[in-house]
Amino acid sequence: MDTRSAKRSYCIQQWKSIIQDRNNSGLTVDAYCEKNGLSRHSYFYWLRIIREEALNQTTSSGFVELSLQTDNRTELSTVTEIPAEEAETSQLKLSVNGVTILVTENTSSALLAKTIGVIKNA
């Protein structure tokens, strides 16, 4: 890994932590940024970078695109359907605030872990 990649990875990890802290704080983005001396522009820049990276990692593993919408609160808006390649007898369908995730016995644990990571950091 070159210096530029290492720096980017470090920044992404730092901002993931900041974004998670903001989500847990219950504060608006503006209030959180003001309280912590952060630029609102930087917050949304890194949020976009982190989401794009998470989506790229997940789509390359066979998952479909996850659409995210931002306003004063970060919310998941839609998840497109995962086509079933064969009839499945056992499945779990999770639906919260218009977001639906279908988990079957054929869903890999790695894909499920990545999906949970995307949702957790969104």
Side-chain angles (χ1 to χ4, degrees):
M1 178 182 289
D2 62 34
T3 305
R4 182 178 225 169
S5 296
K7 181 179 179 183
R8 182 176 170 86
S9 291
Y10 177 78
C11 287
I12 287 172
Q13 289 306 313
Q14 291 296 105
W15 277 97
K16 280 182 181 179
S17 179
I18 290 167
I19 290 165
Q20 186 65 45
D21 186 51
R22 202 286 304 168
N23 288 339
N24 293 336
S25 74
L27 296 172
T28 64
V29 171
D30 290 334
Y32 183 86
C33 287
E34 184 176 333
K35 178 182 176 185
N36 292 284
L38 300 171
S39 158
R40 183 177 192 277
H41 173 77
S42 293
Y43 181 91
F44 283 109
Y45 169 81
W46 284 104
L47 180 61
R48 180 177 55 83
I49 296 299
I50 290 165
R51 285 179 174 170
E52 287 173 356
E53 182 177 275
L55 286 173
N56 289 338
Q57 289 173 354
T58 325
T59 44
S60 67
S61 68
F63 195 65
V64 295
E65 182 178 274
L66 174 66
S67 301
L68 301 171
Q69 175 182 0
T70 59
D71 54 12
N72 286 342
R73 292 178 38 218
T74 303
E75 297 180 11
L76 285 117
S77 59
T78 60
V79 175
T80 55
E81 287 185 43
I82 302 171
E85 295 188 15
E86 59 186 62
E88 294 145 347
T89 57
S90 177
Q91 65 183 18
L92 171 66
K93 185 176 183 179
L94 304 170
S95 296
V96 178
N97 296 334
V99 176
T100 302
I101 298 174
L102 180 63
V103 180
T104 68
E105 58 194 25
N106 295 329
T107 304
S108 73
S109 58
L111 175 59
L112 186 56
K114 286 182 180 181
T115 304
I116 291 169
V118 169
I119 293 169
K120 181 180 176 185
N121 293 314

